[in-house]
Amino acid sequence: MTAPRTLYDKIWDDHVVHQSEDGTCLLYIDRHLVHEVTSPQAFEGLRMTGRKVRAPEKTIAVPDHNVPTTEGRDTKIDNEESRIQVEALDKNARDFGINYYPVSDIRQGIVHIVGPEQGWTLPGMTVVCGDSHTATHGAFGALAHGIGTSEVEHVLATQTLIQKKSKNMKVEITGSLRPGVTAKDITLSVIGLTGTAGGTGYVIEYCGQAIRELSMEGRMTVCNMAIEGGARAGLIAPDEKTFAYVMGRPHAPKGAAWEAALAYWKTLYTDEGAQFDKVVTIRGEDIAPVVTWGTSPEDVLPITATVPSPEEFTGGKVEAARRSLEYMGLTPGQKLTDIKIDTVFIGSCTNGRIEDLRAAAEILKGKKVAPGMRAMVVPGSGLVRAQAEEEGLAQIFIDAGFEWRLAGCSMCLAMNPDQLSPGERCASTSNRNFEGRQGRNGRTHLVSPGMAAAAAITGHLTDVRDLMTAPAEPA
Amino acid sequence: MQEFTKLTGVAAPMPLVNIDTDMIIPKQFLKTIQRSGLGKNLFDEMRYNPDGSEIPEFVLNQPAYRDAQIIVAGDNFGCGSSREHAPWALLDFGIRCVISTSFADIFYNNCFKNGILPIVMPPEVVEVLMEDARRGANARMTVDLESQTVTTSDGQSFPFQVDSFRRHCLMNGLDDIGLTLEKAASIDGFERDLATLRPWV
Ligand code: SF4
């Protein structure tokens, strides 16, 4: 008998190609996702050295970061540099024979939404992408993490990555969530507790009843932000929900292969008695709808709280909090619900899936956005968009006064024309509230889709629970 | 990759915690398809006004630090995105070494791929080095990867740890891909096994 192993240990063990004496491993990579921003220099490197893509059939590319989310983009991208990057990806995908979803394809979308949607991401796999939010795929019990461009080139050329094993961390969310509290609130609350460096050097396994009770979409939201907590990756053990989500997807196994895969996937859990190097436990009942007040994802507070003062912190964080408050234009003691909002962004690989759009639409149904509000929904993929249209969600957004966009990263990082102007304040369902993230001197408050919808209606940060008790239809 | 053995140079103090990759190189500069030329936009939004003029208070705009090769930084340097543009921008500016109490994982990795040495030191040592860096251009710090020490301008020496494989690659300027391709037979073997063990992959 081998010693009890964690889920991470098991996936790791099954992918070691070679181990050196000092513990450095060559790890096999099952899926390599590629987008236009972090890959051009990697393909250029291959060309310069005359190397090929070792496993083009395991490599999947989609443009997402730079693409405009307005109509007409499949024939023309105005920004020249963006166009060059997208064209470079077109060409690289063609030249190297890798799987590709161009902007004109309905399956195009944010790489971390497309992977699971198309069944490329499967339990027990190793998945990498030149993007830190690759952690998203951990929701399937896949070991998934972001890599830099040099590593993209390394994976393209060798289908492996040089890695040292991380430590194991368990984050358990016990009990059930209260109404109005979502996966986004879980993941932000964990970061609020552990800090943005709390997970550094670890792979986190999320477990506990509240995690089990989440849909696959919710689990992806939780794992997505593992990186914001500093972790290399986030993992959730696969279960019946996972298998049901994966079954029938275009690139999921079928027939006998499905049965064989399923048998293997069912072995993917942490053994009784396996050791974690660090354990964090949070009661699901204790989690409130939260919002960020500062410029680091660890600056998290329940929506019922007030803006903190720098003196409440210690060490370097005092100065950081002072800087954050100044940047955000907030005063200590101010109620979070008094903070006025001018822009609402619903989308990103954190909250751009169908369930997120349903949650926001539920709040928006029959309502209008506040006067002067710029509100935008950017579905995570063309297929999410189509489904939302079919379910009538798109109409709810449009009737409420939201712009209904095409799929992409959009205002999550504002590389395309969707940006905040200086001083503009946004309630955003994305994952980073860094200075300038959504546009130079733009101010970002991270929230769940329901909270974003609530802010859109009232014009200020709002406790979504206050709108949930209100009648669904206006008089 | 340019090798790294020993460096004596000016260190810029950046005591701010959580300096993220969006600060190091804002996204509008990620649209390039090259690795070079990003140095002028390093820390762009902290370094320049919207009209393009320099912000004189910013450390790298001060005469003493314009040629800095080392940064001594607050906790959790390089958090955020996986963009390798961050180390590319540092390198293009001339930074070859960053010292902090902690680094974000992906950034830390990316540094080694680009000939930059990230050094983790305990808080009390970072404090001493920060003080030394504050003394400006005449206070030159020495980073020696061979002996794994950092020495301040007044001769105080502090040891640091670094992974032996990474140290080897950095000291010799080795290309990871070339090294891995030497193990092609192991990869072939792994793929053969995979075809029977997990054929759906
Ligand atoms: S949606 Fe945002 S976080 Fe996700 S991949 Fe795109 S830019 Fe990155």
Side-chain angles (χ1 to χ4, degrees):
Chain A
M1 269 313 273
T2 47
R5 292 182 298 166
T6 63
L7 173 57
Y8 172 49
D9 297 339
K10 289 181 180 179
I11 302 175
W12 177 272
D13 291 349
D14 279 350
H15 288 85
V16 175
V17 173
H18 180 272
Q19 179 157 1
S20 305
E21 270 166 37
D22 70 346
T24 306
C25 288
L26 201 57
L27 209 62
Y28 193 77
I29 300 304
D30 296 326
R31 292 288 179 265
H32 184 193
L33 308 173
V34 174
H35 66 80
E36 78 279 23
V37 176
T38 56
S39 67
Q41 294 86 351
F43 285 109
E44 181 201 52
L46 292 186
R47 285 201 178 85
M48 275 162 33
T49 48
R51 289 169 178 149
K52 289 206 278 287
V53 175
R54 182 179 172 102
E57 73 286 359
K58 295 174 182 173
T59 311
I60 300 100
V62 58
D64 56 3
H65 281 61
N66 252 317
V67 298
T69 53
T70 43
E71 299 289 347
R73 64 181 187 174
D74 44 347
T75 49
K76 185 163 176 289
I77 295 177
D78 287 334
N79 182 291
E80 188 182 340
E81 291 165 303
S82 297
R83 196 187 69 237
I84 290 171
Q85 274 193 341
V86 173
E87 285 171 358
L89 189 64
D90 288 346
K91 177 167 164 44
N92 288 330
R94 232 184 3 256
D95 289 0
F96 290 93
I98 61 186
N99 300 288
Y100 188 51
Y101 303 101
V103 270
S104 55
D105 192 314
I106 189 169
R107 297 167 297 178
Q108 178 271 344
I110 304 168
V111 64
H112 308 308
I113 293 192
V114 173
E117 202 168 68
Q118 294 300 319
W120 290 113
T121 307
L122 298 173
M125 281 184 161
T126 45
V127 181
V128 296
C129 174
D131 186 282
S132 56
H133 293 96
T134 311
T136 314
H137 308 262
F140 291 80
L143 178 59
H145 58 82
I147 54 178
T149 300
S150 295
E151 290 176 316
V152 169
E153 186 178 338
H154 191 278
V155 177
L156 288 171
T158 69
Q159 205 58 29
T160 64
L161 201 58
I162 299 171
Q163 287 278 289
K164 267 208 164 159
K165 202 174 169 195
S166 305
K167 289 180 285 186
N168 279 288
M169 174 166 166
K170 172 159 105 172
V171 172
E172 185 175 13
I173 316 292
T174 62
S176 295
L177 299 178
R178 293 187 187 280
V181 180
T182 66
K184 184 66 165 287
D185 302 299
I186 294 182
T187 202
L188 281 172
S189 297
V190 171
I191 299 160
L193 190 70
T194 59
T196 48
T200 304
Y202 293 92
V203 164
I204 297 177
E205 180 176 345
Y206 298 95
C207 60
Q209 185 184 330
I211 298 291
R212 293 264 77 90
E213 287 175 2
L214 291 176
S215 64
M216 286 313 294
E217 283 86 352
R219 293 179 190 181
M220 284 189 253
T221 303
V222 170
C223 288
N224 173 275
M225 291 192 70
I227 182 71
E228 258 62 58
R232 168 152 283 259
L235 279 173
I236 295 175
D239 61 9
E240 293 303 327
K241 277 185 195 168
T242 322
F243 309 143
Y245 180 99
V246 167
M247 198 166 138
R249 304 237 162 221
H251 296 279
K254 315 252 169 349
W258 170 263
E259 293 306 327
L262 197 61
Y264 173 71
W265 295 343
K266 287 183 174 170
T267 67
L268 298 173
Y269 54 83
T270 291
D271 295 329
E272 192 78 46
Q275 280 304 308
F276 284 92
D277 302 288
K278 186 169 172 181
V279 177
V280 173
T281 308
I282 301 180
R283 280 161 38 105
E285 291 83 2
D286 290 348
I287 301 176
V290 292
V291 49
T292 60
W293 53 268
T295 54
S296 166
E298 70 190 16
D299 300 338
V300 175
L301 281 173
I303 181 67
T304 48
T306 55
V307 175
S309 95
E311 287 73 47
E312 293 170 37
F313 299 93
T314 53
K317 188 71 191 172
V318 178
E319 187 46 39
R322 190 168 293 127
R323 185 183 165 97
S324 281
L325 291 180
E326 192 186 319
Y327 181 88
M328 293 296 289
L330 298 175
T331 322
Q334 190 179 1
K335 282 170 72 177
L336 291 173
T337 48
D338 285 344
I339 298 173
K340 297 247 177 309
I341 294 294
D342 12 68
T343 305
V344 167
F345 171 68
I346 297 178
S348 88
C349 58
T350 315
N351 284 127
R353 284 169 285 268
I354 190 70
E355 187 186 82
D356 302 312
L357 303 195
R358 287 185 194 132
E362 180 67 31
I363 301 295
L364 286 169
K365 205 168 185 171
K367 304 244 173 52
K368 291 261 180 262
V369 303
M373 176 73 57
R374 170 163 68 138
M376 188 191 295
V377 191
V378 182
S381 73
L383 290 175
V384 169
R385 186 173 196 266
Q387 188 176 349
E389 286 175 350
E390 204 178 292
E391 292 182 16
L393 308 179
Q395 204 54 50
I396 294 176
F397 285 115
I398 293 165
D399 291 346
F402 270 78
E403 292 174 44
W404 180 244
R405 295 296 193 90
L406 299 177
C409 294
S410 178
M411 206 190 269
C412 175
L413 91 165
M415 267 187 87
N416 75 351
D418 308 335
Q419 304 187 2
L420 296 181
S421 308
E424 256 186 323
R425 190 182 293 281
C426 180
S428 177
T429 66
S430 55
N431 44 51
R432 288 199 175 127
N433 52 351
F434 296 158
E435 287 180 22
R437 172 77 177 185
Q438 296 192 293
R440 187 173 179 135
N441 289 324
R443 294 162 169 167
T444 303
H445 296 276
L446 302 177
V447 289
S448 71
M451 291 279 282
I457 295 166
T458 62
H460 52 83
L461 291 178
T462 300
D463 191 335
V464 63
R465 293 169 297 192
D466 295 345
L467 295 189
M468 288 169 66
T469 48
E473 299 292 338
Chain B
M1 188 178 80
Q2 202 186 338
E3 64 225 35
F4 188 113
T5 46
K6 188 171 176 178
L7 166 74
T8 298
V10 173
M14 295 191 76
L16 195 64
V17 301
N18 294 333
I19 292 178
D20 59 64
T21 52
D22 281 79
M23 288 183 187
I24 300 172
I25 184 82
K27 71 233 144 209
Q28 59 271 32
F29 307 109
L30 309 188
K31 295 189 177 188
T32 172
I33 55 171
Q34 297 173 333
R35 290 173 203 244
S36 55
L38 289 165
K40 61 181 182 299
N41 304 111
L42 177 70
F43 295 114
D44 194 84
E45 291 179 6
M46 301 163 91
R47 197 163 143 207
Y48 305 107
N49 289 306
D51 66 4
S53 61
E54 286 187 0
I55 298 172
E57 296 78 36
F58 183 68
V59 60
L60 297 180
N61 288 336
Q62 296 169 20
Y65 298 108
R66 297 188 92 93
D67 296 320
Q69 290 177 280
I70 301 165
I71 289 176
V72 184
D75 309 343
N76 198 28
F77 189 88
C79 59
S81 99
S82 64
R83 59 187 70 159
E84 202 159 316
H85 309 69
W88 294 339
L90 287 164
L91 188 68
D92 197 58
F93 180 89
I95 303 292
R96 295 294 310 278
C97 174
V98 185
I99 304 171
S100 174
T101 58
S102 59
F103 292 89
D105 192 44
I106 303 176
F107 175 82
Y108 186 78
N109 256 318
N110 283 342
C111 283
F112 285 100
K113 313 281 179 193
N114 291 284
I116 298 175
L117 174 63
I119 299 178
V120 179
M121 286 287 198
E124 57 283 5
V125 176
V126 172
E127 215 28 68
V128 174
L129 299 178
M130 193 74 78
E131 266 322 302
D132 195 45
R134 287 197 176 103
R135 294 165 59 187
N138 296 325
R140 293 159 77 85
M141 210 176 271
T142 298
V143 177
D144 188 341
L145 183 54
E146 173 96 65
S147 66
Q148 296 184 216
T149 52
V150 178
T151 308
T152 60
S153 57
D154 52 7
Q156 300 182 71
S157 200
F158 301 97
F160 63 86
Q161 294 300 315
V162 58
D163 178 87
S164 56
F165 173 72
R166 284 175 162 149
R167 174 168 172 266
H168 174 73
C169 291
L170 202 50
M171 288 190 65
N172 297 288
L174 293 178
D175 163 21
D176 276 357
I177 299 178
L179 288 175
T180 297
L181 287 174
E182 289 172 12
K183 303 202 181 80
S186 305
I187 305 174
D188 291 342
F190 185 93
E191 284 185 336
R192 267 194 305 276
D193 292 348
L194 190 62
T196 36
L197 288 173
R198 296 192 296 280
W200 60 87
V201 168

